[in-house]
Amino acid sequence: VPDTSLECNKADHRCEISEQGVPTCVNTTRGSGIDCEGNEHVDFFCSNNQTSGAALCISTPPSDCYSTKCAGNDKFNETYISCDQSQYTCLVNDTGYPECNTTESRGSGVNCTGVDHSDFYCSSDETTGKALCKMTPPVDCYDKRCSGSGAYNETYIPCDQSKNLCSMNGTGYPICDSTKSRGDGLNCTHSDSLDYFCTNNQTTGAASCSFTPPHSCYSLRCYGPISASFYIACDGLSHRCALDKDSFPICVPGNRGLGVDCNSTVPFYCSYDSTLTKPSCTYPEKYDCFNTKCAGVGVNSTYVHCPQDKGYCSFNATSGQPICVTSNSTGAGTFCDGKYTCRDDP
């Protein structure tokens, strides 16, 4: 009999057709169906064509982020109910009202572009619950605190956002979430890692870039504010001065220190004040007579032999003792008038 059908669960029954063409459901063995890929109630769930009853595989592939609500259809197409689709799937009943089915499989979601959860975290549309990828690309400097909202908009808590993400609870109080992704920060314009270092506002924790541009001559020492006589050697070419928690000076590698820029189109060498913290550019002149010794800095300084018609004076940053640098540059000397003979000051 054409166009005649009846319900028959073929998981443990099969269909037979009589000589008159009438279908019957026989419970002697299972009937026809289809195979689905994956694990049932995880990677797929079973459904059937409403007219023919043919078996269907409804695939539910894994996603990075899952929707959090179900929508109805027809007159309920703007009706949404809560449903964690990382575990459950959305259905609608005969009236079109949405249902969160906890027995079938996971539901819908989206995949995010990123290596792992350091590059994004999951969010959802407040109205529809549709899954969203919130991208958190890596930056140079990260914020170090989280702020709240409403009554807590000036409340800050510690939160290293290179590894954590700021959130809020229902009252607006800030939360440092270690389960999602990295957080906020900013990029610093640079061509080399020596070009900057990161600092943070002490109150808000907001990141900022402190730039350490290249110079011709660099500071050689760090001094602390407690004692002007306490210092440490620190070559500003690839180090910078900072203070520890007790306000003692420390030499931090990886960035440049203070310095000055010289006219590089003409010969020069670096000179220093008695603290070795204030470099200056010295441009050699064609003196009539050149110094033959270099003096150090500090109370225990000495002199070393150094004909400065063939070199110039520098310093050991730790001891303050003089160093004679032999190079193509000449050093200090004096101009003479009339007839003269060059002699050393004993």
Side-chain angles (χ1 to χ4, degrees):
V1 180
D3 300 326
T4 299
S5 62
L6 80 165
E7 290 188 5
C8 187
N9 186 350
K10 295 182 181 180
D12 50 14
H13 293 69
R14 62 184 175 84
C15 291
E16 286 190 356
I17 307 296
S18 70
E19 292 181 357
Q20 290 77 28
V22 178
T24 58
C25 186
V26 182
N27 66 354
T28 57
T29 183
R30 67 174 65 94
S32 60
I34 57 173
D35 291 324
C36 306
E37 293 185 2
N39 297 316
E40 187 177 7
H41 302 311
V42 177
D43 300 310
F44 71 91
F45 66 93
C46 297
S47 185
N48 298 89
N49 183 283
Q50 289 185 347
T51 302
S52 67
L56 302 172
C57 298
I58 306 299
S59 296
T60 55
S63 301
D64 291 326
C65 299
Y66 292 90
S67 298
T68 57
K69 292 183 180 182
C70 294
N73 59 23
D74 297 331
K75 65 179 180 180
F76 297 109
N77 64 347
E78 292 186 1
T79 299
Y80 302 95
I81 62 170
S82 295
C83 189
D84 179 4
Q85 294 192 52
S86 66
Q87 303 177 63
Y88 311 127
T89 191
C90 290
L91 299 175
V92 293
N93 63 19
D94 293 340
T95 67
Y97 195 85
E99 294 180 346
C100 184
N101 191 301
T102 61
T103 63
E104 299 291 3
S105 181
R106 62 183 161 225
S108 63
V110 293
N111 288 315
C112 306
T113 303
V115 176
D116 53 35
H117 271 285
S118 294
D119 298 322
F120 68 90
Y121 67 93
C122 298
S123 184
S124 59
D125 185 275
E126 290 185 4
T127 302
T128 66
K130 183 178 180 181
L132 301 172
C133 299
K134 294 290 187 180
M135 305 308 296
T136 55
V139 294
D140 295 322
C141 298
Y142 290 90
D143 294 354
K144 296 295 185 183
R145 293 190 177 186
C146 295
S147 62
S149 66
Y152 301 103
N153 65 343
E154 293 186 0
T155 299
Y156 299 93
I157 63 171
C159 189
D160 180 1
Q161 295 191 51
S162 66
K163 302 175 183 177
N164 304 285
L165 181 72
C166 288
S167 183
M168 289 176 282
N169 65 17
T171 67
Y173 193 85
I175 297 172
C176 184
D177 192 337
S178 62
T179 65
K180 289 184 177 178
S181 175
R182 63 173 73 94
D184 293 330
L186 77 167
N187 285 312
C188 307
T189 302
H190 66 282
S191 58
D192 190 288
S193 60
L194 294 173
D195 292 340
Y196 74 96
F197 64 94
C198 300
T199 57
N200 295 85
N201 183 282
Q202 290 186 342
T203 301
T204 66
S208 59
C209 307
S210 293
F211 293 100
T212 54
H215 296 294
S216 306
C217 299
Y218 294 92
S219 171
L220 297 179
R221 282 180 177 175
C222 299
Y223 283 79
I226 297 177
S227 172
S229 62
F230 186 82
Y231 63 85
I232 58 173
C234 192
D235 185 356
L237 176 64
S238 57
H239 299 71
R240 62 181 175 88
C241 294
L243 298 175
D244 66 13
K245 61 182 179 63
D246 298 316
S247 295
F248 284 100
I250 55 176
C251 185
V252 181
N255 312 110
R256 303 182 186 92
L258 298 177
V260 294
D261 297 320
C262 305
N263 180 1
S264 59
T265 64
V266 296
F268 71 90
Y269 64 90
C270 302
S271 299
Y272 296 88
D273 68 339
S274 60
T275 68
L276 302 187
T277 62
K278 297 177 181 179
S280 60
C281 307
T282 298
Y283 301 96
E285 298 196 50
K286 296 181 179 180
Y287 293 112
D288 296 317
C289 295
F290 288 91
N291 295 354
T292 58
K293 292 183 179 181
C294 292
V297 295
V299 294
N300 297 317
S301 65
T302 57
Y303 291 89
V304 296
H305 181 66
C306 188
Q308 295 187 49
D309 59 340
K310 299 181 179 66
Y312 62 91
C313 297
S314 188
F315 304 93
N316 179 293
T318 302
S319 65
Q321 296 302 319
I323 298 172
C324 183
V325 181
T326 56
S327 69
N328 293 330
S329 178
T330 58
T334 187
F335 292 108
C336 303
D337 294 326
K339 294 182 179 180
Y340 64 89
T341 299
C342 296
R343 293 183 178 178
D344 296 338
D345 185 339

